[in-house]
Amino acid sequence: MSSLALQIPLPERFKNNQGLPDETKQEYSRILALYSSDTLDAAEWRISLTIANRTGNIYFPKTTKTIESDITRVTVIIMLTSGASIATCQRRVHDFDTIFNFFHSENIELSCLSQDGVNHFIQYLDGSSFDNWKRNQYMQSMQALIETCMSFEVLPRTTTIEAMYRFDGQVEPKRAPDTITVNQLDSLFFDKNVDIPLGYRAIYILLRLHTHRISEVLATPLDCMSYPDDDVFAITIPNSKETPHHIPDYQKYNFLLSGFCGGLCHDIVHTQQQYAISQQFNLPDNLKEYLFVSHKGQRLITTKDFNSYLSEFCARYNIIDASGNPTKVTSHDFRHIAVCERFKSDIISPERTSVECNHASVDDTMGYGYYSKHDEAKHLAQIVSPILPLDSNEQSAPRFVPARKYEILAKQPTTRVIPYYGLCLDRKCSPQFERCFHCDLFIPDPQYREYITAAIKRLQEANEFIAKKHGSDAVRQQNLKDIQTFNAYLEKMDAPKDHQKES
């Protein structure tokens, strides 16, 4: 595929592989000095975000095009000054490199970029194996690249190039790993007899017990442990994103020393703390006072270290998913696992979970609470209990729902199942049972008419018994409310038929 950009003459100042003007580079070198002691053209920048107390590295790929290198570096500096995280800057560098490689394959010069070049890149993404989320990330980077090029007149400011294109389509929600996978990992990481580096074991335990990001756990301070009471110890972990605009908010979590998880957590974290203390004299000043000093040398453990080890660990111990296939787990998956477990427990509210996750809204947290498809089908098939027992003296026993039905429904990413009631077409919503009856996206299941009718009858009989025995009025009022709810369910079930008759 060739680009019409080839027909546009290359501007004089870029013919000899020149980059941005020297005065522009000097100006941005001064800004870079606020974040790093490295030079503008260094292959690696060691970044320090003082306000957020964060450090990290940004790596730049080798390129033969000076202007591409300059534009990439200037864009990163602009992002740092606007509060972007180090990880976000690194992603933008990677995206630019992908875009530039595409330009090279198409013989497109950056300074001669046209709408045709952007359209060709869209076609390339459309035919790629990337999901829409990744495609749109690349398009956002393309848009940022064009804006930067116009700001520094690499592209004429009169140029009209549209890069706002976004890929649409249903996106499967991110799901937690299968429970069987988590159980296998837990059985190994919580077993001291299994050979696991101390730091990795401590990170795993903290990720499993709470909803923190890996970047937050890795930023745990050296003095994180305290003893507020007898038989109780606390661990303090920062709860903030890795940006200058997110000043660390330290949260304290209490554990019982006598409990299994608490006792193990104390022993592992305390041992790691002692190791980190012993290594302080070997560390540079900007890495001191952190808990997770690496066993590999005079540095801190990184996200890449932990995820790489996790991948090797799963392969070594043959960790499989519910289908018997080799599993792939990352540190971020434990955040999804923790949210799912909190929702399933029905003890910690979504609002409280959202605060612990440091999410912008509860909606973000709800988006984390998706079980794996296998676990969701199994969960929905087993958790349903009768609305009322057939006999007031009987205990409410779990009622079995055919698992096969829900396994089929779970394969449809746009369908959410409301157990024993019907279907919800809102993929982003979580089942709320009776509350779902009043939602326009809820579809009653006709096969449950007989059960709902019987439930109404039982409630009415219960109220007659309460009236006869002068029982609790509060119970009677709740029964009346449930009767009203179930009648609304039947009306909703009959509504389409009535509508068809009128038509």
Side-chain angles (χ1 to χ4, degrees):
M1 186 187 298
S2 62
S3 171
L4 293 179
L6 290 172
Q7 303 172 10
I8 304 174
L10 191 66
E12 282 294 329
R13 61 196 176 103
F14 297 124
K15 282 185 176 179
N16 296 322
N17 195 25
Q18 295 178 352
L20 294 175
D22 289 341
E23 55 269 25
T24 301
K25 293 183 181 180
Q26 291 171 4
E27 177 184 350
Y28 279 90
S29 292
R30 287 194 292 270
I31 299 175
L32 175 62
L34 300 174
Y35 302 95
S36 175
S37 59
D38 296 299
T39 61
L40 186 70
D41 58 354
E44 174 186 343
W45 289 352
R46 290 174 289 276
I47 301 295
S48 176
L49 303 177
T50 307
I51 297 177
N53 194 25
R54 294 283 193 270
T55 59
N57 297 338
I58 298 177
Y59 303 92
F60 296 95
K62 293 181 180 179
T63 177
T64 58
K65 305 281 186 178
T66 304
I67 187 60
E68 294 175 357
S69 176
D70 288 352
I71 285 296
T72 300
R73 285 164 163 75
V74 165
T75 300
V76 169
I77 294 172
I78 293 172
M79 291 175 68
L80 288 172
T81 59
S82 64
S85 70
I86 298 172
T88 301
C89 291
Q90 185 67 72
R91 280 197 299 271
R92 184 57 53 84
V93 171
H94 174 271
D95 290 354
F96 276 15
D97 187 49
T98 300
I99 294 170
F100 292 147
N101 286 336
F102 174 81
F103 287 169
H104 297 165
S105 69
E106 296 286 305
N107 294 320
I108 300 174
E109 293 288 346
L110 180 60
S111 55
C112 299
L113 181 63
S114 67
Q115 185 66 54
D116 285 314
V118 175
N119 292 343
H120 289 166
F121 186 65
I122 293 173
Q123 292 172 17
Y124 159 72
L125 292 177
D126 195 33
S128 71
S129 59
F130 301 129
D131 59 28
N132 284 350
W133 178 86
K134 189 66 175 179
R135 292 181 181 128
N136 288 331
Q137 178 184 304
Y138 280 124
M139 287 307 302
Q140 289 170 352
S141 293
M142 173 68 84
Q143 185 178 343
L145 174 63
I146 293 171
E147 291 173 355
T148 304
C149 287
M150 287 185 176
S151 298
F152 292 94
E153 297 186 338
V154 174
L155 289 169
R157 296 188 179 181
T158 55
T159 304
T160 301
I161 301 178
E162 179 57 62
M164 289 290 290
Y165 184 86
R166 296 294 182 267
F167 292 86
D168 296 324
Q170 292 285 351
V171 179
E172 181 74 6
K174 170 69 175 177
R175 295 178 181 272
D178 292 327
T179 299
I180 187 175
T181 298
V182 180
N183 290 344
Q184 291 171 87
L185 288 170
D186 282 353
S187 67
L188 295 167
F189 273 89
F190 282 86
D191 184 353
K192 288 185 178 181
N193 293 321
V194 179
D195 183 21
I196 298 174
L198 176 65
Y200 295 156
R201 193 192 296 273
I203 291 169
Y204 180 91
I205 290 172
L206 293 181
L207 288 174
R208 281 292 286 119
L209 296 180
H210 294 288
T211 62
H212 286 285
R213 302 174 181 89
I214 180 70
S215 61
E216 295 167 341
V217 170
L218 294 179
T220 301
L222 185 59
D223 59 349
C224 63
M225 298 186 75
S226 58
Y227 299 84
D229 205 345
D230 290 341
D231 199 35
V232 174
F233 74 99
I235 294 180
T236 304
I237 304 175
N239 185 13
S240 68
K241 291 184 179 178
E242 179 206 353
T243 76
H245 293 170
H246 289 78
I247 298 174
D249 170 28
Y250 291 94
Q251 291 201 3
K252 218 173 239 189
Y253 300 98
N254 290 340
F255 298 87
L256 283 173
L257 276 165
S258 57
F260 168 73
C261 284
L264 179 67
C265 182
H266 172 271
D267 292 347
I268 298 300
V269 174
H270 182 264
T271 307
Q272 173 65 27
Q273 185 183 51
Q274 297 306 305
Y275 171 74
I277 290 173
S278 71
Q279 297 297 310
Q280 289 299 293
F281 68 94
N282 290 325
L283 296 172
D285 290 341
N286 63 324
L287 300 183
K288 290 182 178 179
E289 303 302 324
Y290 284 98
L291 175 65
F292 287 109
V293 177
S294 175
H295 63 285
K296 293 184 176 181
Q298 299 172 3
R299 63 181 181 84
L300 301 182
I301 296 174
T302 66
T303 302
K304 184 178 180 181
D305 288 336
F306 182 73
N307 282 334
S308 296
Y309 178 78
L310 205 55
S311 178
E312 296 168 3
F313 187 87
C314 289
R316 186 196 319 156
Y317 287 94
N318 192 29
I319 307 298
I320 59 173
D321 60 20
S323 301
N325 299 318
T327 192
K328 294 181 180 179
V329 181
T330 68
S331 57
H332 195 69
D333 285 323
F334 296 109
R335 192 162 158 89
H336 288 265
I337 294 167
V339 172
C340 282
E341 289 179 343
R342 278 155 176 73
F343 287 173
K344 186 176 180 179
S345 73
D346 201 26
I347 297 173
I348 304 175
S349 69
E351 290 77 14
R352 174 60 208 166
T353 303
S354 182
V355 171
E356 186 179 336
C357 288
N358 194 15
H359 279 148
S361 67
V362 176
D363 288 341
D364 291 345
T365 311
M366 297 299 285
Y368 272 64
Y370 284 90
Y371 297 97
S372 69
K373 285 187 176 182
H374 175 272
D375 289 332
E376 183 175 55
K378 183 178 179 182
H379 177 66
L380 294 176
Q382 293 179 351
I383 65 169
V384 185
S385 297
I387 299 169
L388 283 176
L390 296 177
D391 187 332
S392 58
N393 295 322
E394 293 180 3
Q395 294 293 325
S396 296
R399 182 176 52 191
F400 179 75
V401 179
R404 178 62 180 162
K405 173 180 179 179
Y406 291 110
E407 288 172 357
I408 294 173
L409 289 169
K411 294 178 181 178
Q412 304 173 20
T414 58
T415 300
R416 296 291 294 173
V417 183
I418 313 300
Y420 238 81
Y421 291 136
L423 304 177
C424 175
L425 302 183
D426 185 356
R427 178 177 57 81
K428 298 179 180 179
C429 190
S430 295
Q432 299 176 61
F433 300 91
E434 287 86 353
R435 290 179 61 187
C436 295
F437 296 171
H438 306 287
C439 176
D440 292 336
L441 294 175
F442 172 75
I443 302 175
D445 191 332
Q447 70 172 312
Y448 303 138
R449 175 189 294 277
E450 183 178 344
Y451 174 77
I452 296 297
T453 303
I456 294 174
K457 183 178 179 181
R458 285 197 299 272
L459 287 167
Q460 291 171 336
E461 291 174 350
N463 274 0
E464 291 174 2
F465 182 80
I466 290 172
K468 187 180 297 184
K469 297 292 184 178
H470 303 287
S472 170
D473 186 62
V475 174
R476 186 182 69 85
Q477 292 295 333
Q478 181 60 49
N479 288 346
L480 289 173
K481 186 177 179 181
D482 289 340
I483 290 172
Q484 184 179 7
T485 298
F486 296 135
N487 278 326
Y489 178 91
L490 294 178
E491 291 173 6
K492 195 177 187 75
M493 187 182 293
D494 293 335
K497 293 181 181 180
D498 293 341
H499 179 71
Q500 290 172 4
K501 291 178 182 177
E502 293 174 3
S503 299

